[in-house]
Amino acid sequence: MVLGALVGGGGMWLYMEYVNGQHDAVRAEQEFLMRRKAHKDSLLQIRAEQENRERLGREDELRRRAIAGFIADFYREAILGRGTVKAYEMNLTEHCRERLKDGSGRLTWSLFGADAAGDDTDREALRHNLRVTYEEDDWYRVHLIQHGMTEFRYVKAVVKGRDVMIDDVR
């Protein structure tokens, strides 16, 4: 009987160890799966953030190109062309209007380099060689190139609603 009790007790102990081992294995597997899911979720979040930054970067680049195109058109048509600058007056902010006013209160366009497009200049060469590049903080550099000489103007443009507004020039 003692031998039976010892064998039965030992068997019961072995069985309990086996069951506890199974529970530990199941718990370890669950913890592993939870860590794996958390890692996967963090990778997905990182990937989503990266994609969002890339999308915003593409949108910023498209916005910058559109503004640079507007400034180039402004120079080609109004400053260097035979067109009128009146059409672009609505694209000036109040700050820019104040900067462009002369002593009599009229708008003067010489800050944009209009003096470079006088009668003795080659307007076609200036229009052909015109380049506009983004600098920083909404400032764009306008390259006016004629006879191998380059003149730079800096134009600050902002978007208000759907319109590009020229805010400053130097």
Side-chain angles (χ1 to χ4, degrees):
M1 196 147 86
V2 174
L3 185 60
L6 280 175
V7 169
M12 184 61 125
W13 180 78
L14 285 175
Y15 176 74
M16 293 305 290
E17 285 296 314
Y18 172 75
V19 169
N20 285 338
Q22 289 296 321
H23 286 301
D24 290 344
V26 167
R27 251 184 266 124
E29 179 69 20
Q30 287 175 342
E31 287 176 8
F32 171 76
L33 291 175
M34 287 174 45
R35 283 192 312 270
R36 186 173 178 186
K37 183 182 180 323
H39 179 69
K40 182 180 177 184
D41 290 347
S42 69
L43 289 178
L44 290 175
Q45 183 179 4
I46 290 169
R47 184 177 300 142
E49 289 172 359
Q50 286 174 337
E51 289 172 355
N52 190 35
R53 279 193 304 271
E54 289 172 1
R55 182 183 56 79
L56 290 175
R58 286 189 302 270
E59 289 173 359
D60 280 348
E61 180 63 28
L62 288 173
R63 184 179 138 275
R64 289 177 184 147
R65 283 185 187 173
I67 292 171
F70 169 80
I71 294 170
D73 288 344
F74 166 72
Y75 266 87
R76 282 188 191 101
E77 294 173 17
I79 303 299
L80 302 174
R82 299 282 183 217
T84 177
V85 290
K86 290 279 187 198
Y88 286 94
E89 283 184 15
M90 66 183 205
N91 293 95
L92 300 176
T93 63
E94 239 356 92
H95 174 260
C96 189
R97 284 178 196 272
E98 290 301 316
R99 287 208 11 109
L100 295 177
K101 284 184 181 176
D102 62 7
S104 64
R106 291 185 332 207
L107 294 180
T108 178
W109 300 90
S110 61
L111 285 176
F112 287 101
D115 53 336
D119 292 334
D120 62 337
T121 59
D122 185 359
R123 289 177 181 268
E124 196 55 42
L126 284 169
R127 291 178 80 205
H128 178 71
N129 294 321
L130 176 73
R131 286 188 303 137
V132 179
T133 56
Y134 175 75
E135 285 294 305
E136 62 183 37
D137 297 330
D138 296 329
W139 284 96
Y140 293 80
R141 184 189 322 193
V142 178
H143 306 254
L144 298 169
I145 305 167
Q146 177 180 239
H147 306 299
M149 300 294 290
T150 302
E151 179 182 339
F152 296 107
R153 297 290 183 190
Y154 293 90
V155 177
K156 183 175 185 179
V158 294
V159 176
K160 291 192 178 181
R162 297 184 59 117
D163 297 325
V164 176
M165 305 292 286
I166 297 174
D167 189 46
D168 204 354
V169 61
R170 55 181 172 175

